[in-house]
Amino acid sequence: MKLRTRILTLFAFLGVFPVLTLGLLGYVRAMTAVESLLQEETSAIAHRVASDLLDRYALRAAELQLVAGNTETERLLQDHADHLGGADSESHFAAHSYLSAVWDLIRPSYHWIEIRDSSDILRYVMGEGETLPTGERAGALEPGHTELGEEEPETSSRDPGQASRPPSRGVVELEFPVTIPPSGDTVGVAVASVRSGAVLSDEFLGTAFGRGGYTTLFHRGRGTVIYHPSRRLLNQPIDRLFSQGGWDVEPAVLEADSGSFTYRENDSLRVASYLNVPSPPWTIVVSAAVEEFASPFARMRDANLAVMLLVVVAIGLSFFLMTRRATSSLEQLTLAADEVARGELSPQIPGEGGDEVGRLSRAFRIMVEEVRKMLERVEETRQMAVMGEFASQVSHEIRTPLTSIKLNLQELGRDAEQGSIPEDSAPAVRICLREVERLDRAVSSVLSMVPTHPPEREACSLHDILADATEAVAPQLRQTNVRVECRFRAAQDRVLGDPQALESVFVNLLVNASEAMPSGGTVFLDSENGDSTPTDEGVICVRVSDEGPGVPVEIRGKIFRPFVSTKTDGTGFGLAVARRTVEEHEGRIDLDPASNEDIGATFVVELPLAGRELPASEDIAPVSPEDR
């Protein structure tokens, strides 16, 4: 796997996924908070409905107690039990007078109220008309029984002697026993058909949380639905509401006294809170739709996710571009390293920047340059070793017979001067002697490539060395009509070195300059002090400039190598020897890169100054070969 791929994968796992996960967790927490809010609100509504229901139920029970728990009703049922009662009895008129007054007060809350004796014989009815029927029986209700459904229209009167009560659908039925104090014997019961609105307030049953909320009422004893916004579910079994297609939950969720649960209805998630009322045995369920309150959070979630995605995309794109730039530079450096490993020391290196990769590129470039220089030095050393071997052979094979030939030719030269040999042979002898001298200098030049002993060091004036070098080459300069102009501006010129070796360096440079100007010209010798070397003492810089054709571009980088020369008859040893001598003196010699390749060449020699402070040298006036 590439480095870029690994970095992007790491960014995705550590940057993108955590941000998206935090966004989703925020949405989940928001939804959980919404559900908790709905649970709290629906539970509060259920308790308010239950409180109102119990208050109204207690009020209706108190009203029924006025009917059942009074002396007239007790006497009426007691007389019937003792067979003393009748339509004309005193107890009947007293009870009728009292119950009529009570009925006038409570009739808005009831359909009817019946008073039955212990044999379940109807003895008195309160409704549109009251009468004392003869002993007729009807199905008795257990004390405390209630029932609620759709209300039926009121009837104008009740017929006495009716065998059973009319249907009680749509009403709440209450029952209160009639007892005789102080024995507490039960002599009958008062049964009331209560209007649903008298117990179940439409205001509270219609109370809901949100537009999609509603309240439901169950009868636990009968397992039926007492109230539901959908009229088709009234008086239906609870199982039908909880079955699949309805709430799709188990009725067991309502077993506790109170609680909350979630369910789906018509593909809508809802939260419901319930409360079980002990008496009457009813269960109140208040429900609310989650989507109604979650939609703002959903929009906020979508907006936050969109913003996060945009931010992640922007950051990811920026990260990708930065990573691509960095890894591209690293890939280029890797390819460059491969090229260097194959021996190609001019690889394509990425641009240098201010970051770590840029600094690495700069360090790699410097390293390659140093490797190139090192290899050049190694090559030069190898060549110098070859030259040393060659010089040894030349010294052994040529120098000894050459000396013998030179001595014999010198003897012949003296004989020619004395006339001992024919006069026409004298020129030939002189030519041979001159050629032997030239051959001897060539052999000496080759031998100088191999130092036989370290240079002797002494403090000397470089200006004096330059003057001696100029004087040494003055005859040759005069022959080519070349003049030397000296500008010695260095305040300090004392160096530690071998004067003869250093003089040879500048003689070589002056000879090369004169040979570059066969038609004449000017050689400029400039000196100045500088601190371009790491030493504390500073350096003296000497510039040797000519007005010749310059050094061709193709050999500028290898001008100091042995066997490299711009002259057709040159050996290529002069500059190599000069460089070796300067480096032995801990200096450096270079071709000025600012030199024009078509006009002139400038060689720069830098040597470290001697460590002690010396008086400033006097400026030396320009010297020409004619003045020497």
Side-chain angles (χ1 to χ4, degrees):
M1 183 182 294
K2 291 185 177 181
L3 176 62
R4 183 186 308 168
T5 304
R6 285 184 290 186
I7 292 176
L8 292 177
T9 303
L10 184 65
F11 171 74
F13 276 105
L14 298 182
V16 178
F17 292 160
V19 171
L20 295 179
T21 302
L22 287 176
L24 293 176
L25 287 178
Y27 174 72
V28 171
R29 286 196 296 267
M31 292 300 98
T32 303
V34 169
E35 292 184 8
S36 298
L37 174 64
L38 294 181
Q39 290 175 359
E40 293 176 1
E41 293 297 327
T42 53
S43 177
I45 293 174
H47 281 81
R48 288 200 303 270
V49 171
S51 177
D52 180 73
L53 185 149
L54 293 176
D55 289 344
R56 289 172 174 269
Y57 186 84
L59 182 59
R60 302 289 87 79
E63 292 173 346
L64 189 58
Q65 187 176 8
L66 291 176
V67 175
N70 62 83
T71 305
E72 285 74 12
T73 302
E74 294 169 359
R75 186 184 301 168
L76 174 65
L77 292 180
Q78 184 63 45
D79 287 349
H80 281 288
D82 296 338
H83 303 288
L84 299 176
D88 297 330
S89 65
E90 181 180 354
S91 61
H92 172 79
F93 287 109
H96 180 72
S97 176
Y98 173 77
L99 293 175
S100 295
V102 172
W103 177 252
D104 290 337
L105 294 175
I106 65 175
R107 64 185 303 169
S109 301
Y110 299 87
H111 289 287
W112 46 264
I113 298 177
E114 297 179 344
I115 298 176
R116 295 180 174 274
D117 60 16
S118 57
S119 299
D120 200 26
I121 298 175
L122 185 62
R123 298 301 181 184
Y124 195 88
V125 176
M126 289 183 288
E128 293 299 324
E130 300 85 16
T131 182
L132 286 175
T134 56
E136 301 292 343
R137 295 180 181 274
L141 293 174
E142 297 178 358
H145 172 73
T146 61
E147 182 178 355
L148 176 64
E150 293 187 2
E151 294 189 6
E152 65 176 7
E154 292 187 36
T155 55
S156 59
S157 63
R158 295 290 307 277
D159 294 332
Q162 187 174 340
S164 62
R165 295 188 301 275
S168 300
R169 295 180 61 192
V171 297
V172 179
E173 292 191 358
L174 298 178
E175 188 175 293
F176 200 90
V178 181
T179 58
I180 303 297
S183 63
D185 296 334
T186 301
V187 294
V189 64
V191 181
S193 176
V194 186
R195 300 180 186 275
S196 60
V199 177
L200 307 176
S201 170
D202 292 338
E203 177 184 357
F204 282 89
L205 287 176
T207 301
F209 190 62
R211 295 186 303 272
Y214 60 83
T215 301
T216 305
L217 191 62
F218 302 148
H219 191 299
R220 295 195 304 277
R222 291 178 172 267
T224 58
V225 179
I226 300 176
Y227 177 81
H228 193 278
S230 176
R231 299 176 67 86
R232 63 183 179 84
L233 293 175
L234 294 179
N235 295 318
Q236 297 297 319
I238 298 177
D239 294 340
R240 179 178 175 184
L241 182 62
F242 281 79
S243 64
Q244 189 173 3
W247 291 1
D248 197 15
V249 294
E250 295 294 332
V253 299
L254 305 178
E255 289 181 353
D257 293 338
S258 62
S260 300
F261 62 93
T262 59
Y263 65 96
R264 284 198 169 273
E265 185 177 56
N266 298 327
D267 296 329
S268 174
L269 181 65
R270 303 183 71 86
V271 173
S273 296
Y274 68 90
L275 178 64
N276 288 322
V277 179
S279 179
W282 292 349
T283 299
I284 302 166
V285 180
V286 180
S287 172
V290 175
E291 284 79 0
E292 180 179 349
F293 299 92
S295 56
F297 293 94
R299 289 193 297 270
M300 185 181 300
R301 172 204 60 186
D302 296 339
N304 290 339
L305 288 179
V307 171
M308 282 192 294
L309 286 176
L310 288 176
V311 171
V312 167
V313 169
I315 295 176
L317 183 60
S318 302
F319 189 81
F320 172 76
L321 293 177
M322 294 176 61
T323 304
R324 181 180 180 182
R325 178 183 177 185
T327 54
S328 297
S329 300
L330 291 176
E331 289 178 0
Q332 294 179 14
L333 283 176
T334 302
L335 295 176
D338 293 338
E339 292 182 11
V340 172
R342 291 193 298 267
E344 176 59 48
L345 297 180
S346 298
Q348 185 68 30
I349 300 176
E352 300 176 4
D355 56 0
E356 289 77 3
V357 178
R359 292 197 293 271
L360 178 61
S361 298
R362 183 164 55 255
F364 187 81
R365 188 185 303 277
I366 295 174
M367 181 194 72
V368 172
E369 186 65 28
E370 292 298 325
V371 169
R372 185 187 300 112
K373 291 181 179 179
M374 181 186 68
L375 292 178
E376 291 176 355
R377 299 290 178 83
V378 170
E379 179 63 20
E380 292 178 5
T381 302
R382 187 186 67 81
Q383 293 177 355
M384 296 298 289
V386 172
M387 286 304 303
E389 202 173 312
F390 173 71
S392 298
Q393 293 180 4
V394 167
S395 175
H396 183 269
E397 299 292 338
I398 298 178
R399 200 71 179 271
T400 300
L402 188 63
T403 302
S404 178
I405 292 172
K406 181 178 179 181
L407 291 174
N408 288 312
L409 287 174
Q410 287 175 347
E411 183 66 27
L412 288 175
R414 286 192 296 268
D415 290 343
E417 291 176 356
Q418 297 173 1
S420 299
I421 61 174
E423 184 177 352
D424 56 354
S425 298
V429 173
R430 287 194 298 271
I431 292 173
C432 289
L433 279 173
R434 189 176 65 221
E435 292 302 317
V436 167
E437 290 289 342
R438 190 174 67 84
L439 183 60
D440 184 62
R441 286 196 303 270
V443 172
S444 299
S445 177
V446 172
L447 290 175
S448 67
M449 295 290 293
V450 184
T452 57
H453 58 82
E456 298 180 359
R457 301 294 180 89
E458 63 181 45
C460 54
S461 171
L462 192 60
H463 287 166
D464 293 342
I465 293 174
L466 292 172
D468 293 340
T470 303
E471 184 177 3
V473 298
Q476 181 176 346
L477 296 178
R478 282 195 297 269
Q479 290 178 2
T480 56
N481 197 24
V482 173
R483 62 186 300 272
V484 178
E485 183 177 333
C486 299
R487 293 190 291 250
F488 296 158
R489 293 172 294 182
Q492 298 183 26
D493 67 336
R494 290 288 186 179
V495 297
L496 194 64
D498 185 345
Q500 293 181 355
L502 293 176
E503 181 181 343
S504 298
V505 171
F506 293 105
V507 166
N508 191 298
L509 293 176
L510 290 171
V511 169
N512 286 344
S514 66
E515 291 178 350
M517 299 182 294
S519 300
T522 303
V523 177
F524 300 94
L525 278 178
D526 295 329
S527 71
E528 59 183 354
N529 291 124
D531 56 356
S532 61
T533 63
T535 59
D536 296 332
E537 296 82 8
V539 300
I540 180 171
C541 176
V542 179
R543 303 172 68 88
V544 182
S545 306
D546 61 56
E547 297 177 332
V551 180
V553 177
E554 59 272 13
I555 65 171
R556 284 191 169 210
K558 51 186 179 181
I559 190 66
F560 291 99
R561 294 181 185 177
F563 308 108
V564 176
S565 176
T566 59
K567 295 176 287 187
T568 57
D569 58 347
T571 61
F573 296 145
L575 289 178
V577 173
R579 182 176 187 178
R580 185 182 188 92
T581 301
V582 172
E583 289 179 349
E584 286 177 349
H585 286 77
E586 299 178 1
R588 67 177 184 176
I589 179 172
D590 288 303
L591 176 64
D592 190 351
S595 300
N596 193 302
E597 62 177 285
D598 297 326
I599 303 176
T602 300
F603 287 88
V604 181
V605 178
E606 288 185 0
L607 292 170
L609 293 171
R612 59 191 182 90
E613 193 75 12
L614 297 174
S617 301
E618 296 182 357
D619 289 346
I620 301 177
V623 179
S624 66
E626 291 79 3
D627 299 330
R628 292 285 179 183

